[in-house]
Amino acid sequence: MGAGAAFGPVAAAAGAEGADAPGARRLRRHLLPGGELLAGRRRRGGLRRRGRLTAAPAWTPDGGIVYFADGRITDRSPTLSTAKEIPFTARLEVPRPEYRRKVRDFDATAERDVRGVHLPALSPDGRSVVFCALNALWLMPIGGRPRKLFQAAPAHYVQMPSWSRDGRSILYVYDGNGDGLGAVHRLMLEDGADTVLAGGGRFNPALSPDGTRLACQDVLGNLLVVDLATGAESRPTPPFGGNGLPGRPSWSPDGRYIALCDRNRLNHRFREGYNVIRVLDTRDGSSRSFLPLPDTSVADRCDSGPVWSPDGKWLALVVESALWVLPVEPDGTPAREARRITVEAADHPSWSGDSARLLHLSNGQLRLTGLDGADRRTVPLPLRTARALPPRSDVTRIHAARLWDGTGENVREDVDIVVSGNRITAVEPHRPGARRSGERLVDATGCTVLPGLWDSHTHPYQNTYGGRQSRLMLAYGITGTASMGGFAYEQARIRESVDAGVMDGPRFLTTGELLDGSRVAYSMGRAHRTADGVRRSLERAEALDYDFVKTYVRAPGWIMAEAARTAHERLGVPAGSHLLTPGAQVGQDLTTHLSATQRQEYGRAVSPTGRAYQDVHEIYRGGDFAIIITPFSAAYLLGDDPTLAQDARVTTLMPPWDAAGVQRQAATAPTEAQRRAVRMETDVYRRILADGGSLALGTDCPITPVGLHLHLGLRALHQYAGLSPAQALRTATVAPARLFGVQDDLGTVEPGKLADLTVVDGDPFRDFTDLVRTSWVMRDGVVYRRADLVGGAGQAQVAARSAGRDEDWLAVGEALRRDGCCAP
């Protein structure tokens, strides 16, 4: 909202239906002159009168009452025969932040240091480190050069390495084993023998000290203990909370106890709780949990500990984004207070076998630290990467039946698009024989070419989805994505892997974990209650070069403001959150939804029935404060087109829990109530666009079906909001490019722009449903064909579906989305 933005009375009252004004909380019943009852029932912080919500009513000296409802101030005075509206307007000067945007060199191919070092683990002898980077598994002698142990195929994903206690083997997780689900592998270092220890979706492996049992987790985060001699699995106890996997299991030296990080939800009203240390007894399944410090969470539930020292005397963990050690009894009970041993940012701790040193990541560097915090040193990591681009001499001529270039409403016919390397060099009318010597011709004569589609709100869940998530995006025509929250080092790893061409996927803009208060919901929530903790997290954001900075629902205003300042001044990127208010006031650039989970009562954007009032539109008007929309109600539209559920991308590429959910939703046509919900939601978006707002389309996947939901959202905007095909498509092309500051390189099909294209088999400007019929995409000048992305996954999906009944996978999907912020 620029200086001088006009505000009506709703803005002055901080939102009619969303405000929980003190007067409204105190006042329950008032009699108007003549005995008429005002507001018999309170709802969401206001008073209802004849179906309208009022806020902060007040008596006048003459016995009347003035109240605020539906954007108007009304006077019900005893001297008036009818209610009288009191004219009121106000203007609030809220200058928007101005900052220099990040400069990205999309053509650079020079080598640079790898930052995406993912889940490093120190060997028991303290001499080597195993880690994942560039979609490969690496082993590096400390002081030496890393050696690649295993390179994942570009369609798949390798992750979660750990050591056996004797140091002779490494465990890791890989999804390229035939069913497309994560499986635990054991790699023997002596002879390279590789065996699968547990499959069907198993993660976070940890071998018991005697090597006879495997602790791991399934897709739902259930802890499993596998007897390696018999293959029998047991489930000692279910996780406390969902919203992602619990932390990695860690064994006590005697093999009786397992420690991990779990979420202890505090009440039934809110899903948030503390990230607690949980210790389970594998003999009887009992467990105890405790906090590392009073009212303080473990940082997150990825790999922030607790990690048991081999001598059993300590648990290492990350709290307030620093490294701590907690003295414990043999059963994991705290013996004394925890002690912080680093002042720098810390992630992913692991012990040496003598329990004297800890390896951890700090701002993209490997660091070794003594148990007492002394003898800190950096471990050199001589590993470099470079963007893989076609050479400029590699020229491709695409002959398209139709081109919508993103610059207006018009569609051009019979067009050639010439691509040199990774850039578009010409867009010209097709002329037979125009192809020059050495040019490669790509025939799109039955197709429509568009700027590459964007999904502006995603969460990388490769820890359970593996390579499927990235491939699904490409298969549905998505060439650009922006993360709105995920594990920081994993995102750095994915971005580098895609850029280097060793992982299939769209162009990827990163952020880190959700910057939150002391209580969190998601595994990827980063908990904070101190300024030092926030500072460390933001220093890490700068070191890992985030593309966006996001705060979450329990972050107070000072954290939101500091995150926005860091994003702007140190990174040159936007910042945002769920909160329209105070997001706009503390310098953030956007909201990541129209309405989603909030824990500050004055920040509501819509009423419980989905109505958005004048103040909301005023803030978004003109586009200075932007919005990423996530039309969850569009999921109902699956029932209008059941063929979507039979698409090979669903039946062969989606994980079985999502495929089962899509097929169930598609089996039932939307009810009238559901259609009204779609119409009401998209009408808000239509009005924001009409007011000149900046609106980009996202999905919040994998809360919604990956890739597919972007098309459902576009259909909702076209069919229910009445946007033209071009207007709808701009929310997934031009608008995201502008929002993230890459409009000079992306968003349209013009000479000089990057060659990110989506090619549709059909004409979505005649039949908008054709848009989902992606034939192929081009990202950075490289072609990815839908048939290749889906092909080879067919048997995998059949195998995965056969491993459990459809109703079982359906239950898995429902459990994964339980307590989610935004699922319909």
Side-chain angles (χ1 to χ4, degrees), residues 309-311 314 351-358 369-375:
S309 62
D311 64 8
W314 306 88
W351 290 94
S352 60
D354 59 5
S355 303
R357 288 173 295 167
L358 282 155
T369 301
L371 177 60
D372 59 358
D375 192 26

Side-chain angles (χ1 to χ4, degrees), residues 209-438:
D210 63 6
T212 64
R213 290 171 295 161
L214 169 71
C216 59
Q217 294 158 359
D218 64 13
V219 173
L220 293 177
N222 291 298
L223 179 67
L224 308 175
V225 177
V226 183
D227 185 313
L228 295 181
T230 65
E233 285 186 347
S234 63
R235 295 187 180 185
T237 184
F240 282 156
N243 296 135
L245 296 175
R248 184 198 297 261
S250 181
W251 290 89
S252 63
D254 62 5
R256 175 173 178 175
Y257 301 99
I258 294 174
L260 52 78
C261 182
D262 206 347
R263 183 196 71 195
N264 190 10
R265 181 171 177 166
L266 296 180
N267 56 56
H268 293 292
R269 183 180 181 194
F270 299 128
R271 62 201 171 113
E272 295 88 16
Y274 291 112
N275 286 335
V276 298
I277 300 168
R278 189 179 184 192
V279 180
L280 303 98
D281 189 332
T282 60
R283 294 183 183 177
D284 59 16
S286 63
S287 71
R288 293 166 289 110
S289 62
F290 44 89
L291 294 173
L293 296 167
D295 304 315
T296 304
S297 286
V298 179
D300 60 47
R301 301 197 298 278
C302 174
D303 193 37
S304 288
V307 186
W308 223 310
S309 62
D311 64 8
K313 297 180 179 179
W314 306 88
L315 293 178
L317 61 161
V318 177
V319 178
E320 294 296 319
S321 291
L323 184 59
W324 296 64
V325 290
L326 175 68
V328 293
E329 304 293 346
D331 64 355
T333 303
R336 298 185 302 279
E337 292 184 354
R339 183 174 79 244
R340 180 173 53 80
I341 62 172
T342 71
V343 295
E344 60 192 8
D347 284 277
H348 308 328
S350 60
W351 290 94
S352 60
D354 59 5
S355 303
R357 288 173 295 167
L358 282 155
L359 179 81
H360 64 94
L361 279 166
S362 180
N363 295 331
Q365 293 184 318
L366 288 171
R367 299 275 283 168
L368 274 172
T369 301
L371 177 60
D372 59 358
D375 192 26
R376 293 191 298 271
R377 63 189 178 99
T378 298
V379 177
L381 180 63
L383 185 62
R384 295 174 69 78
T385 184
R387 182 179 280 111
L389 298 177
R392 293 304 295 268
S393 59
D394 186 352
V395 180
T396 300
R397 182 177 291 270
I398 303 165
H399 178 202
R402 289 163 298 276
L403 167 67
W404 179 71
D405 64 15
T407 63
E409 292 280 328
N410 294 334
V411 176
R412 299 162 63 178
E413 296 187 353
D414 204 20
V415 173
D416 280 0
I417 305 159
V418 182
V419 176
S420 298
N422 67 324
R423 294 271 177 185
I424 299 167
T425 53
V427 179
E428 57 195 25
H430 175 67
R431 298 188 307 276
R435 179 184 176 189
R436 298 178 181 176
S437 175

Side-chain angles (χ1 to χ4, degrees), residues 461-536:
Y461 264 56
Q462 271 78 3
N463 62 348
T464 50
Y465 278 67
R468 295 174 185 268
Q469 184 168 359
S470 299
R471 273 191 296 161
L472 275 165
M473 296 280 192
L474 291 176
Y476 276 104
I478 298 166
T479 64
T481 61
S483 169
M484 293 291 112
F487 299 116
Y489 284 95
E490 180 169 46
Q491 291 184 75
R493 166 202 167 163
I494 293 170
R495 181 174 62 186
E496 288 176 343
S497 298
V498 170
D499 285 350
V502 295
M503 180 177 172
D504 293 339
R507 195 179 299 278
F508 184 47
L509 302 184
T510 69
T511 186
E513 293 84 4
L514 308 169
L515 300 178
D516 216 340
S518 58
R519 302 178 189 177
V520 298
Y522 288 101
S523 294
M524 59 183 168
R526 192 80 166 183
H528 303 89
R529 66 186 302 267
T530 69
D532 280 342
V534 173
R535 172 185 55 79
R536 282 187 282 265

